[in-house]
Amino acid sequence: MDIFSNFFVDPLFTKSCTQREVNAVDSENSKNLISDGRRRWQILKSLADDKHHFSKFSTGNRITLPACVDEGNADSNDNEKKDMKHPLEDILKDISNDGNLDEDLAELVRATLLAFHVRHYRPHNMTAVMIGPQTLDELEEWALPRFGLIPDRWLMNKKNGDKDVNNNDTSEKWKAIQIAAAKLVEEASSDAPPVSDKETVEHNSAFRPELQGGKWPVILTTKPIQSVRKLVLFFPLPPVLNLDQSATSGELQCETVLLFDLSYLVLTHLPLSIISLVWI
């Protein structure tokens, strides 16, 4: 419990730790490159409205997260990285003027990680749950001295004029990178689409006929890596939060029956082994 609570009370966020995590993200993305499901998912994203959050890259790699500077261990991703201008370079154009762009990009990624932690890992955004055979008083006695020490760093920084009170690096460049990272995180915090059970929230679908050539349905044929024949049907549906429970279950039940009827008709005409029905 001491170890777990200190992840939130006093996390290290060292440079080497950040680089190892980026390497782990890159390895996971490399694994996805040969996954037929992930490849189809990325094709679907390419059809979506490019202004919609669904169209964004959903994982990441060493190119999108340039937190590693390994001069002697360049791979294909690093070569591709050097051949293209990274979007974060525009943020650093007035900061990185000493020729250390790769190092500054890595610093910006780490600064953004720190800013994200400060902005969102706040006590009022967290809930600690403890379960055990002990009494409630005993569990509370264990929890409060540990999780009660989690500081509200975002509020502390605001009181100190947006100065990171927990950082020892006082160089002007690092301060400028911190400010740029905090701005990125603040903008991203309001980037998520509105979610509400009220009808006043307009549904902005990522898929509309005018975006996909003017007519539906859109049929895509992809060549799989594995030996598989699979039909995947996607039906973009508006939110159902504003419907009462009985209406929601009834309407979705009708949709399910309709889709399975459609699947049956397809199965009678095509020699398919798998049918997948997905709602988005």
Side-chain angles (χ1 to χ4, degrees):
M1 190 184 301
D2 288 332
I3 295 175
F4 179 74
S5 61
N6 272 283
F7 285 147
F8 306 96
V9 175
D10 191 22
L12 295 178
F13 287 129
T14 61
K15 293 182 180 181
S16 61
C17 180
T18 305
Q19 293 172 353
R20 288 196 301 271
E21 186 59 31
V22 168
N23 284 331
V25 170
D26 188 73
S27 297
E28 183 177 356
N29 180 73
S30 298
K31 172 181 64 66
N32 292 338
L33 296 178
I34 57 175
S35 168
D36 286 319
R38 298 294 302 208
R39 289 159 67 91
R40 287 195 301 270
W41 193 246
Q42 195 60 42
I43 291 174
L44 184 66
K45 284 177 169 289
S46 69
L47 292 176
D49 185 352
D50 59 4
K51 296 181 177 61
H52 195 278
H53 67 281
F54 181 78
S55 66
K56 295 183 178 180
F57 188 26
S58 57
T59 55
N61 56 28
R62 286 166 60 92
I63 298 175
T64 61
L65 298 169
C68 305
V69 183
D70 298 324
E71 298 295 339
N73 187 27
D75 55 18
S76 59
N77 277 354
D78 294 318
N79 292 331
E80 182 181 351
K81 171 183 170 182
K82 293 177 181 179
D83 293 337
M84 60 186 295
K85 179 182 178 181
H86 198 282
L88 293 178
E89 290 184 28
D90 290 335
I91 299 175
L92 293 172
K93 63 182 180 181
D94 297 326
I95 301 175
S96 182
N97 50 17
D98 54 7
N100 296 323
L101 180 60
D102 287 344
E103 293 182 7
D104 292 340
L105 283 171
E107 286 293 297
L108 179 59
V109 170
R110 179 169 174 268
T112 305
L113 171 65
L114 294 170
F116 184 90
H117 179 264
V118 169
R119 179 67 177 83
H120 296 289
Y121 280 73
R122 304 173 60 191
H124 74 276
N125 289 339
M126 304 180 188
T127 300
V129 178
M130 294 181 59
I131 300 176
Q134 295 79 13
T135 64
L136 181 61
D137 290 340
E138 190 172 359
L139 292 174
E140 186 176 1
E141 185 179 347
W142 291 353
L144 285 180
R146 294 172 172 85
F147 295 100
L149 296 177
I150 300 176
D152 191 335
R153 293 180 175 84
W154 187 80
L155 185 60
M156 292 167 59
N157 289 352
K158 287 296 180 183
K159 290 181 178 180
N160 286 275
D162 285 329
K163 297 179 181 178
D164 188 350
V165 295
N166 296 302
N167 188 65
N168 295 323
D169 190 339
T170 58
S171 66
E172 292 300 321
K173 176 186 281 191
W174 174 250
K175 290 179 182 178
I177 290 177
Q178 278 187 304
I179 293 173
K183 184 179 179 181
L184 276 176
V185 171
E186 192 63 32
E187 291 175 351
S189 66
S190 60
D191 189 43
V195 177
S196 174
D197 59 355
K198 307 298 183 182
E199 295 184 0
T200 53
V201 175
E202 182 181 357
H203 173 55
N204 177 30
S205 176
F207 300 94
R208 302 187 297 276
E210 62 269 22
L211 297 174
Q212 286 86 37
K215 58 182 180 180
W216 279 359
V218 177
I219 301 177
L220 291 177
T221 303
T222 61
K223 183 178 180 181
I225 295 177
Q226 299 179 348
S227 179
V228 62
R229 306 178 74 181
K230 187 173 185 178
L231 173 65
V232 184
L233 305 176
F234 290 95
F235 294 85
L237 299 178
V240 294
L241 291 174
N242 61 328
L243 300 178
D244 58 57
Q245 188 64 34
S246 59
T248 302
S249 60
E251 290 188 18
L252 291 182
Q253 186 177 6
C254 292
E255 290 287 342
T256 304
V257 173
L258 174 62
L259 295 181
F260 275 104
D261 286 345
L262 177 61
S263 305
Y264 174 77
L265 293 176
V266 173
L267 281 173
T268 58
H269 291 85
L270 295 176
L272 299 171
S273 58
I274 302 175
I275 293 291
S276 296
L277 302 176
V278 184
W279 292 269
I280 56 174

